[in-house]
Amino acid sequence: MKFSCIIPAYNEWPRIGKVLETVLACDELDEVIVVNDGSSDDTWGVIEHFHHPKLQKISQKNVGKAKAIFAWIRIATGSHIVMIDSDLLGLNTEHIRALIAPVQDGSTDVTLSLRENSLGLYKFFGTDFVSGERVVPREIFSDEVYYTSGPGFWLEVKMNEKILTWKYRVENIVFP
């Protein structure tokens, strides 16, 4: 298995640096692709300061999260996509490893994070269906139009539809 991390970023200059430091320190990730989706702040300036052999940096005009991800999913080489939001506070490598491990050992097909700041309703049910931190098989992205024909913020909702339709086994990973 190979894990490609994709981080879409839009106006996240105060947070993107720490997120990048964390993902680049995670040995389980084979490549990291960060997409500056037309930020109007200094997000790209922060991203440009990072240099690492497994890092690919892309800046483009703003097209929304779903299209930003799909623009670069084609160049990702992993069998699995690790999605990490660019605005996470307190993210550490153990969180990423916890997301990857159950997929890597074959005990599940998909992982979703359940963060401390998730809505109470999600905590009650034990899953955060709109979580931006997840590991999914690359094949889930086989139909680009399915994901990009609606609003960009529906990406996770559309992924959940595919997860349920394809009967993937899902494990929720609690981020303390």
Side-chain angles (χ1 to χ4, degrees):
M1 272 183 209
K2 190 172 178 183
F3 294 91
S4 297
C5 180
I6 297 184
I7 306 168
Y10 177 74
N11 288 345
E12 295 295 347
W13 72 268
R15 292 165 287 281
I16 189 66
K18 180 62 178 152
V19 170
L20 281 173
E21 284 174 14
T22 302
V23 298
L24 291 171
C26 187
D27 294 335
E28 288 78 3
L29 296 173
D30 297 288
E31 68 182 339
V32 175
I33 302 168
V34 61
V35 182
N36 175 45
D37 188 34
S39 297
S40 58
D41 65 5
D42 196 32
T43 297
W44 182 243
V46 174
I47 292 168
E48 281 188 306
H49 289 327
F50 283 84
H51 303 283
H52 195 283
K54 65 181 175 185
L55 177 63
Q56 296 182 63
K57 304 175 278 190
I58 297 111
S59 189
Q60 64 185 32
K61 68 178 184 141
N62 181 259
V63 294
K65 185 175 183 176
K67 288 181 181 175
I69 286 174
F70 268 94
W72 305 106
I73 229 137
R74 291 180 222 106
I75 66 167
T77 60
S79 59
H80 289 77
I81 304 298
V82 179
M83 296 178 58
I84 300 291
D85 280 345
S86 58
D87 63 350
L88 289 179
L89 298 173
L91 179 70
N92 63 54
T93 55
E94 291 308 312
H95 292 136
I96 300 167
R97 288 183 183 112
L99 281 172
I100 292 172
V103 173
Q104 197 168 38
D105 71 19
S107 62
T108 194
D109 303 310
V110 172
T111 56
L112 305 173
S113 74
L114 181 61
R115 291 190 259 158
E116 187 176 296
N117 67 348
S118 293
L119 295 175
L121 181 64
Y122 298 148
K123 289 180 187 177
F124 176 77
F125 286 111
T127 191
D128 185 344
F129 290 109
V130 294
S131 169
E133 299 77 52
R134 49 180 72 203
V135 177
V136 296
R138 181 191 184 93
E139 67 191 15
I140 201 169
F141 295 110
S142 60
D143 184 359
E144 183 173 343
V145 173
Y146 175 78
Y147 291 100
T148 59
S149 59
F153 58 83
W154 277 21
L155 177 66
E156 287 85 0
V157 173
K158 299 301 259 180
M159 288 174 68
N160 294 337
E161 286 179 351
K162 288 274 189 191
I163 288 166
L164 293 171
T165 301
W166 292 0
K167 299 183 181 351
Y168 282 128
R169 298 169 297 154
V170 178
E171 184 174 332
N172 293 281
I173 307 299
V174 178
F175 282 15

